Amino acid sequence: MSKKAFEWIVSGSLLLTSISRGTEALQANFFAKKGVSTGGEGTLTNRVGTVSAGNDPDKALEISEIGCGTWSWGNRLLFNYEKGQDEDIYDAFKTVRDAGVNVFDTADSYGTLDLNGRAEILLGEFERRYLTERGVAPPSEVTDGGKSSGNFFEELFVPPKQEPRALQVASKFAIYPWRLTRGSLVSAAKASAERLGRPKVELAQLHWSAQNYAPWLESTLWDGIADVYDAGLCDAVGVSNYGPEQLRKFAKRMEERGVPLATCQIQYSLMTATADVTIGAKEACDEVGCRLIAYSPLCLGLLTGKYSLDALPTNGNPRRQLFKELLPGAQPLLKTLEAVALDTGKTQSQVAINWAICKGGIPIPGARNKQMALENIGSAGWRLAPDALDELDLAASRVSKPMIQNVFQTK
């Protein structure tokens, strides 16, 4: 190679490096002026993994491997909710959405007394605000067909945009005494969609079964939730507090109606590991082709390590008496949980949630502030070692007083 050619190569390399660095600087300056985050905290990462819910590939929902529960949003009785907490709750929402969490479990009955339905209202408001802040128009407002923005510099400097995952609202309809007809469930779905400010509820769920007190009503409820799907008010259906036996019956009816069954949720944590409905729940879900949703994976906070007989929930909170009864018999489990957390470099909450993931569940821990949200996110993307799972299973089997089951839980 001649000396002149070598000089040309070196000069060209230096020029490309200079252009690259200059472009990066211009890009950073452009982002700063536009108020766009380019990394670090508050960045959309979608790092939480996803799974399919439902056995029909054409109708299955894509949901994150962990979700977010909204039971506490509007709940004064158990979680001391006040409207002044809404900004903190939004920070939690935004944090988990940025991480890729897209399934939010809610219900038309969430919210205490005059705040009934508050969780759905907040969820809808939060999603609209989040999309606005992210510069993403709701699907119904996208009209340009993906055409150029017309801004040369924006197209030159802005990298391909990572979009938030599509929100999957999983709302449950309470089996109130006045909901005795198929049409009442369709009306409930419409009311939930209106509170959410959305055209539909992606996953419509029966909040509980009537089998334990009005078995004659079951077939009506099942056809009612199927009617919700037929009316275009949901993309799939699910159930809550259904044990393996009742789930199989429900699944058969949905198959007859041609309605996709996506999920079945039960109370599922280390404090309920030995319950009859917990044992066999995953197998039943696999059999009918739906996902197991694990609600209360932290047993109302008992498994976080934040509570003891000397540090209980405040007076007047029903959890105070409950924890007084449960904590003494849960000490071996809590100590094992603490030891595993130390070994893995995780928090006790993260270990407890990850246990549910390792068992094949989709845990839906609640979050009322950013710190809780970050801790929940930290439970995904890794798996407990087999020996750690064995230790936790053994400790769970030795709990002398397990968590009480939901009164509506069926076999």
Side-chain angles (χ1 to χ4, degrees), residues 116-381:
N116 197 28
R118 180 71 176 169
E120 288 182 329
I121 292 171
L122 288 176
L123 181 55
E125 290 177 353
F126 289 168
E127 177 67 1
R128 289 189 292 275
R129 177 179 170 184
Y130 176 73
L131 293 180
T132 298
E133 291 178 357
R134 278 283 167 217
V136 180
S140 60
E141 296 179 14
V142 177
T143 58
D144 64 2
K147 295 180 181 177
S148 165
S149 67
N151 186 323
F152 170 78
F153 289 101
E154 184 165 348
E155 294 183 7
L156 176 65
F157 297 130
V158 177
K161 192 171 186 178
Q162 182 168 206
E163 301 283 354
R165 287 175 179 152
L167 183 69
Q168 305 286 3
V169 175
S171 198
K172 301 185 293 293
F173 309 134
I175 312 305
Y176 291 127
W178 55 87
R179 285 185 179 161
L180 301 174
T181 65
R182 293 164 58 165
S184 64
L185 281 172
V186 175
S187 296
K190 290 178 179 178
S192 285
E194 183 175 352
R195 280 188 293 272
L196 288 158
R198 299 172 68 82
K200 61 184 175 183
V201 174
E202 284 74 15
L203 178 58
Q205 306 167 95
L206 293 172
H207 204 155
W208 60 81
S209 166
Q211 179 63 28
N212 293 343
Y213 61 94
W216 50 268
L217 186 58
E218 285 286 74
S219 61
T220 299
L221 297 174
W222 296 354
D223 279 326
I225 201 73
D227 291 345
V228 171
Y229 175 78
D230 287 344
L233 292 168
C234 69
D235 294 325
V237 302
V239 290
S240 179
N241 298 303
Y242 273 54
E245 292 181 15
Q246 206 67 0
L247 173 63
R248 291 185 178 97
K249 296 175 185 177
F250 177 79
K252 182 179 179 181
R253 182 56 182 153
M254 293 305 101
E255 184 177 8
E256 292 170 350
R257 288 286 304 266
V259 176
L261 170 60
T263 61
C264 173
Q265 64 171 270
I266 62 170
Q267 184 179 195
Y268 197 95
S269 78
L270 283 161
M271 286 294 291
T272 63
T274 59
D276 290 340
V277 293
T278 302
I279 299 171
K282 178 63 169 58
E283 290 75 10
C285 286
D286 290 344
E287 181 183 321
V288 302
C290 72
R291 286 282 175 179
L292 172 66
I293 303 293
Y295 79 75
S296 292
L298 296 175
C299 191
L300 298 178
L302 185 140
L303 295 173
T304 63
K306 300 174 183 177
Y307 297 100
S308 68
L309 291 176
D310 296 322
L312 293 165
T314 57
N315 285 322
N317 189 316
R319 290 188 298 159
R320 184 180 179 88
Q321 182 59 39
L322 178 65
F323 285 8
K324 275 185 179 181
E325 297 176 11
L326 296 180
L327 280 167
Q331 289 309 304
L333 171 60
L334 295 175
K335 289 177 180 177
T336 301
L337 195 57
E338 181 181 16
V340 172
L342 288 172
D343 286 344
T344 57
K346 303 292 183 179
T347 67
Q348 290 181 222
S349 294
Q350 290 168 343
V351 170
I353 295 170
N354 193 266
W355 174 87
I357 295 175
C358 290
K359 294 297 181 179
I362 307 295
I364 49 171
R368 302 190 301 280
N369 56 58
K370 186 175 182 178
Q371 185 55 44
M372 292 175 71
L374 288 170
E375 190 162 9
N376 291 348
I377 292 167
S379 67

